[in-house]
Amino acid sequence: IAMRRVLLVAPDFPPRNVAGALRLRLLASGLGEFGWQPIVLTVKPEAYEGALDGTSELLLPAGVRVERVGAWPPGWCRRIGLGEIAVRAQWAMRARAGELGRQGEVNMVLASVLPGYSALVGAWTKRRWGIPFVLDYQDPWVPLIRSPRRLGSKAWWAEWLARRLEPGAVRQADALTAVSAQTLDSLRQRALLPAAKPVEIVPIGAEARDHEIARDHGQAWLSAPPGEVAFAYVGTLTEKMLPAARTAMRAIGALAESQPGRRFTLHFVGTSAQVDGVDR
């Protein structure tokens, strides 16, 4: 049986090592087990802003097909508020997706939010070529809780655009996937998700091979000296996750009390949506 091909719309992808790139990279690694050959549609490394991580490309499976396109330069784009890579590469990604569609090379398109503008590439491919389109949510495109935004600010315009663009993308999608039910529930509350549309919850997974590559090629800044045990938490820590964090700390504290001669440390490694991690 011939393997079917799925186009993964992934403006964030290695060597860019940001949170949004992880899910697409894992999908590119695992879809082959289910009879789908991934074709990754992303951008050229020089189109990114901020530091790149060349070792992250070692995490990709051998032979995965990656199609890279150019993007408008960030310098003048940021002057008009268009720094997002999914916007700067929008038309180049559409052009390449169109070429693959015309050539009959893809059987399905999957675009993942965030960034939300990735969804527009998948929706356009569905309208133009009739290729089945799956819209995946890593995070809500429209915030679940509305926060005060200064009228006319960049954040205000971003949410204004999202509320107007998202309904069309959801409508074009043949199915929706999400990391949690909460995001899909928010779409239902806004009357965007019909009951008949197929949905599936697909949590963000992990790849055991990553540990081997990190051991052989990573920077071991987290290594513990003799007699010390180091724990690491990697990723987001939101308020609703604090009970789990407290429980972990109590458990480590109890472990430390039972072994007074040993030192235990806990490292929190956060993620950032800002260029070079310039969060406050």
Side-chain angles (χ1 to χ4, degrees):
I1 301 175
M3 186 171 284
R4 298 162 293 180
R5 291 182 291 271
V6 54
L7 184 67
L8 300 179
V9 180
D12 288 324
F13 200 71
R16 194 176 199 194
N17 192 9
V18 296
L22 172 64
R23 185 167 175 85
L24 278 303
R25 193 259 294 175
L26 290 172
L27 286 172
S29 300
L31 282 169
E33 298 178 26
F34 302 93
W36 288 92
Q37 176 186 350
I39 301 175
V40 181
L41 177 59
T42 186
V43 304
K44 297 177 180 178
E46 57 266 27
Y48 291 127
E49 298 176 274
L52 301 179
D53 180 8
T55 57
S56 66
E57 294 186 288
L58 297 172
L59 302 171
L60 299 175
V64 65
R65 179 176 170 184
V66 180
E67 297 279 341
R68 296 190 182 272
V69 300
W72 294 343
W76 64 267
C77 286
R78 283 207 171 274
R79 296 175 187 173
I80 56 175
L82 299 179
E84 170 58 61
I85 186 62
V87 175
R88 294 193 287 113
Q90 180 74 203
W91 283 266
M93 296 183 80
R94 290 192 189 195
R96 185 60 184 137
E99 292 173 1
L100 295 171
R102 281 197 307 273
Q103 296 163 5
E105 291 204 49
V106 294
N107 305 102
M108 186 176 75
V109 176
L110 184 147
S112 190
V113 176
L114 294 168
Y117 304 105
S118 304
L120 304 182
V121 179
W124 176 84
T125 308
K126 169 65 184 298
R127 288 195 307 271
R128 185 69 178 80
W129 302 104
I131 300 172
F133 166 43
V134 173
L135 179 55
D136 173 68
Y137 280 89
Q138 304 183 51
D139 283 307
W141 189 358
V142 173
L144 297 178
I145 300 175
R146 301 197 71 167
S147 57
R149 302 184 188 277
R150 182 170 56 83
L151 184 66
S153 66
K154 184 176 179 180
W156 185 90
W157 279 112
E159 184 173 336
W160 184 88
L161 274 173
R163 289 187 178 276
R164 281 151 185 79
L165 294 174
E166 186 177 40
V170 174
R171 194 162 49 245
Q172 290 291 331
D174 295 280
L176 271 72
T177 57
V179 299
S180 68
Q182 187 178 20
T183 298
L184 297 180
D185 288 341
S186 72
L187 296 176
R188 294 186 182 99
Q189 291 165 9
R190 292 162 53 212
L192 297 184
L193 184 56
K197 184 157 293 193
V199 299
E200 188 66 54
I201 305 301
V202 183
I204 295 179
E207 174 60 65
R209 179 171 161 269
D210 289 2
H211 294 280
E212 301 172 10
I213 295 171
R215 181 194 62 217
D216 296 337
H217 302 279
Q219 299 178 22
W221 61 270
L222 201 58
S223 59
E228 179 175 318
V229 178
F231 296 87
Y233 178 93
V234 182
T236 303
L237 183 63
T238 61
E239 185 174 358
K240 68 180 180 181
M241 299 159 71
L242 291 180
R246 293 190 187 99
T247 301
M249 290 182 184
R250 291 192 188 103
I252 294 172
L255 191 61
E257 290 177 2
S258 69
Q259 301 184 38
R262 179 166 289 184
R263 178 179 172 84
F264 295 83
T265 60
L266 178 60
H267 300 264
F268 288 90
V269 185
T271 59
S272 172
Q274 304 300 316
V275 175
D276 289 329
V278 292
D279 301 86
R280 294 184 61 185

